[in-house]
Amino acid sequence: MSSVGGKKRKTAASGVASKGLRDDGRGDDENSSASSNGAGEPEQQMIDYTPHYEVLVKEGATHFDSVSAAIFEHIDNSITAFKILPPEHERKIEVQIHMPAKGLYDAEPIYLAIWDNAGGMTTKQLEAYFTAALGRETRGLEPKGKGEAATRMAHLAGNLSKFGVGALQSFAYLGTQLKVITKDKEEGKVRYYKIDKDYFKQKEESHGRDSVFKGAVRVVETAEQALEEGERRTQLVQHLQQWNELPHFTVVLIRLQDIHKREIFETQGSK
């Protein structure tokens, strides 16, 4: 029962809209009215449905069944990036496996590096790269209005990286750490950002779930400065020094999981 102007009238419980809230749960202060005189707004209890980090960590296992297929996802990303460059631009893609020194195979990780000179990435483009399920149209890699059906057909025809999430799925299958080092053609700055499965749980417990999906892109003078001590393999350092002289580049550096180390060892041993 509610009272208006001293008179009582019935109010249907299911037909009263709370002030400031429409049926879809969004605020609509301009068109809303109070459910009763002086009743005030209902209590609001906020929830957080930021994805758990395991959505990213475990997702790759369902999309790839071999190291070669997962690597090809990154190669396809590089090929796609070349599409925005003029035809006369020299195109270069390299795939390298950086092994530990002999006798340290069990103790030291293997690093996979995929290089291209397809224009590099700005901070905003790095953010898009690491944003799971961000479609190509949103990332500026597809014409607007192309639609999901057409994008799916392109994917089936051989365009593997249907979504930005493709690179993250590949990483989830291949490795424990993903680092992208890039120099963009607009500003010529060297930037890098990394994600690490081993750090996800610690970060969530210390700073909350949404902190896993946030971080700082670092800007350095040279590409070599993006390497940490354990990553400084001689050939990798030399290659970074050479590519740092280019006007723009991107290298995707993945620390491989132990299970894939064994697969690579067996391949190397069979040659």
Side-chain angles (χ1 to χ4, degrees), residues 24-261:
D24 59 2
R26 294 178 292 171
D28 190 0
D29 292 335
E30 293 180 359
N31 300 316
S32 61
S33 59
S35 58
S36 61
N37 188 27
E41 296 184 2
E43 177 185 0
Q44 298 186 36
Q45 298 179 338
M46 302 302 293
I47 61 172
D48 178 4
Y49 43 91
T50 302
H52 194 274
Y53 67 86
E54 288 189 353
V55 171
L56 174 59
V57 170
K58 295 182 177 180
E59 189 175 16
T62 64
H63 289 80
F64 299 97
D65 57 7
S66 70
V67 170
S68 58
I71 291 174
F72 194 63
E73 174 66 32
H74 293 281
I75 296 174
D76 185 71
N77 276 343
S78 296
I79 293 172
T80 300
F82 281 125
K83 293 179 180 179
I84 65 173
L85 297 175
E88 63 272 14
H89 179 82
E90 179 187 4
R91 286 152 169 77
K92 182 185 294 187
I93 299 174
E94 295 184 18
V95 178
Q96 301 171 338
I97 295 176
H98 295 274
M99 308 284 285
K102 289 185 177 180
L104 296 175
Y105 284 171
D106 292 334
E108 297 289 335
I110 292 177
Y111 287 94
L112 169 70
I114 302 100
W115 308 73
D116 72 58
N117 65 334
M121 286 185 276
T122 63
T123 298
K124 198 68 178 177
Q125 289 168 328
L126 270 174
E127 181 181 55
Y129 180 93
F130 282 97
T131 301
L134 187 60
R136 285 187 161 209
E137 181 178 312
T138 308
R139 296 164 67 208
L141 298 178
E142 295 286 0
K144 290 188 176 180
K146 185 171 181 178
E148 176 65 13
T151 305
R152 186 183 299 114
M153 291 303 295
H155 171 68
L156 294 174
N159 194 1
L160 296 185
S161 52
K162 174 180 166 187
F163 294 112
V165 75
L168 299 185
Q169 290 171 337
S170 172
F171 152 67
Y173 176 81
L174 287 170
T176 60
Q177 177 183 288
L178 167 65
K179 177 179 286 186
V180 177
I181 308 170
T182 185
K183 181 180 182 181
D184 71 288
K185 60 184 177 64
E186 284 83 12
E187 301 178 15
K189 292 183 177 180
V190 178
R191 301 173 173 87
Y192 74 94
Y193 187 74
K194 76 170 184 178
I195 56 177
D196 191 321
K197 289 181 182 178
D198 297 334
Y199 187 51
F200 282 164
K201 183 176 181 180
Q202 176 186 342
K203 195 172 183 181
E204 182 186 45
E205 291 175 347
S206 301
H207 304 290
R209 186 181 303 174
D210 64 340
S211 69
V212 175
F213 299 95
K214 297 178 181 178
V217 171
R218 288 173 167 79
V219 181
V220 291
E221 293 293 326
T222 66
E224 183 184 350
Q225 293 174 329
L227 294 180
E228 298 168 43
E229 189 59 37
E231 301 165 347
R232 298 183 65 82
R233 306 293 163 79
T234 302
Q235 290 184 337
L236 179 58
V237 171
Q238 292 174 348
H239 219 62
L240 275 173
Q241 291 171 343
Q242 294 170 5
W243 280 66
N244 193 70
E245 299 302 316
L246 297 178
H248 47 80
F249 69 88
T250 295
V251 55
V252 175
L253 188 64
I254 299 174
R255 184 177 66 204
L256 295 182
Q257 298 189 64
D258 287 344
I259 187 172
H260 299 314
K261 286 174 61 175

